[in-house]
Amino acid sequence: MIEVKNLKKSYGHLDVLKQITFDVNKNDVVAVIGPSGSGKSTMLRSLVQLETIDGGSICVSGDYLVKDGVYSKPADIKNITAKMGMVFQHFNLFPHLTVKENLELAPKLVKKQAPSAIQQQSKDILEKIGLSSHANAYPSNLSGGQKQRVAIARALMMNPDILLFDEPTSALDPELTGEVLQVMKDLAKEHMTMIVVTHEMGFAKEVANRVIFMDNGEIVESGHPAELFENPQHERTKAFLNRSL
Ligand code: ADP
Ligand code: MG
């Protein structure tokens, strides 16, 4: 579903991503772990064209966003990035819109669907994540966990083929992480393809079918969670896991 080859990204003299290569298959849940500053967010942001890369290729469902450092034309980029939904650490909800309006804004602007169909979809999704009673609330009246669930619902409204999560629980009080992880687990059970940058090793072990360990702009190793957590091959992975588990 996603093929990334030799992805390079620099900020001035700082090489943030050094020739990163990985694949994501349909129905994969890939957990990306690694120390702060290792390039995890930059990698996710590159996939949805929130960052422009300096070299390499990104191919999504057979269509190249960028091939050998050359980007596709803007209309194609728009179509390709529309296949991916992104959930951010700090929710990024529109504060002046209600929950329902947050969900319906992008589909109304982008999709060629009747407003009634979009309203039905937002109703269904809110029901699914248990926030129907908050449809007319504003983000400022929600808990962090509820805000993040709304952010996930908003991403789902665009019917993405793949969801990208950048530390979705890192901004939450510990007692609120469970409800967000539960929504993500439910999505995994429904075979949603996901890439999840996370510090939640329990989630990675339980839900992911692959873990990628990044350090210093490189993928140091990747593998099935049982292998990578129980039997890491590289000293850098061992050192990181010893600090994190
Ligand atoms: P992670 O998400 O793993 O913590 P990031 O992708 O956020 O790592 O950052 C990787 C490196 O790139 C860090 O050294 C960070 O300081 C640097 N970096 C990120 N964004 C920028 C930017 N806009 N300008 C300059 N340096 C940046
Ligand atoms: Mg980050």
Side-chain angles (χ1 to χ4, degrees):
M1 186 158 263
I2 294 190
E3 284 180 67
V4 172
K5 205 169 169 206
N6 298 333
L7 195 167
K8 269 182 15 180
K9 170 75 184 172
S10 310
Y11 292 111
H13 293 296
L14 181 67
D15 294 330
V16 179
L17 298 174
K18 305 168 183 168
Q19 311 254 15
I20 296 236
T21 296
F22 67 93
D23 293 336
V24 177
N25 298 317
K26 197 168 160 50
N27 305 342
D28 269 353
V29 178
V30 177
V32 181
I33 61 171
S36 180
S38 56
K40 305 181 299 296
S41 294
T42 307
M43 186 272 284
L44 280 193
R45 292 170 59 84
S46 300
L47 296 180
V48 288
Q49 190 50 19
L50 290 172
E51 305 283 351
T52 300
I53 65 169
D54 300 312
S57 304
I58 298 172
C59 187
V60 183
S61 307
D63 296 321
Y64 280 98
L65 180 72
V66 46
K67 185 174 187 181
D68 297 327
V70 181
Y71 274 95
S72 298
K73 39 179 209 298
D76 293 337
I77 290 178
K78 221 173 124 189
N79 287 333
I80 294 166
T81 54
K83 298 178 195 175
M84 296 176 275
M86 179 110 168
V87 175
F88 300 90
Q89 183 176 354
H90 294 288
F91 329 124
N92 297 15
L93 296 175
F94 302 111
H96 60 295
L97 298 182
T98 64
V99 166
K100 184 173 166 348
E101 289 164 346
N102 265 279
L103 264 62
E104 293 173 6
L105 179 66
K108 280 182 178 163
L109 291 175
V110 176
K111 281 187 172 182
K112 295 175 188 74
Q113 267 185 333
S116 60
I118 292 171
Q119 284 162 10
Q120 185 62 48
Q121 189 188 6
S122 73
K123 198 165 168 260
D124 293 344
I125 290 181
L126 284 177
E127 199 161 306
K128 185 172 150 183
I129 62 162
L131 286 174
S132 296
S133 58
H134 294 76
N136 297 313
Y138 285 89
S140 57
N141 293 319
L142 302 179
S143 71
Q146 290 171 331
K147 280 184 212 172
Q148 194 60 298
R149 283 153 63 200
V150 172
I152 295 170
R154 186 177 58 176
L156 290 172
M157 286 292 291
M158 300 301 283
N159 302 114
D161 293 340
I162 178 158
L163 276 181
L164 312 178
F165 295 85
D166 193 357
E167 301 199 25
T169 60
S170 294
L172 301 178
D173 292 335
E175 70 271 21
L176 299 177
T177 62
E179 62 187 80
V180 173
L181 293 175
Q182 188 57 50
V183 171
M184 295 165 66
K185 281 182 202 170
D186 292 344
L187 289 169
K189 271 196 207 126
E190 295 165 18
H191 307 294
M192 175 61 86
T193 308
M194 310 199 275
I195 304 179
V196 185
V197 172
T198 187
H199 295 294
E200 296 284 341
M201 297 300 162
F203 176 84
K205 272 186 187 165
E206 189 186 337
V207 183
N209 64 320
R210 194 141 45 91
V211 181
I212 290 177
F213 171 62
M214 284 182 68
D215 187 24
N216 197 21
E218 298 168 316
I219 292 178
V220 176
E221 67 181 293
S222 72
H224 193 272
E227 277 162 38
L228 191 131
F229 287 119
E230 301 310 325
N231 193 17
Q233 299 297 305
H234 290 261
E235 286 308 321
R236 282 195 275 172
T237 320
K238 287 178 197 169
F240 176 76
L241 292 176
N242 278 337
R243 290 198 300 274
S244 308
L245 292 177

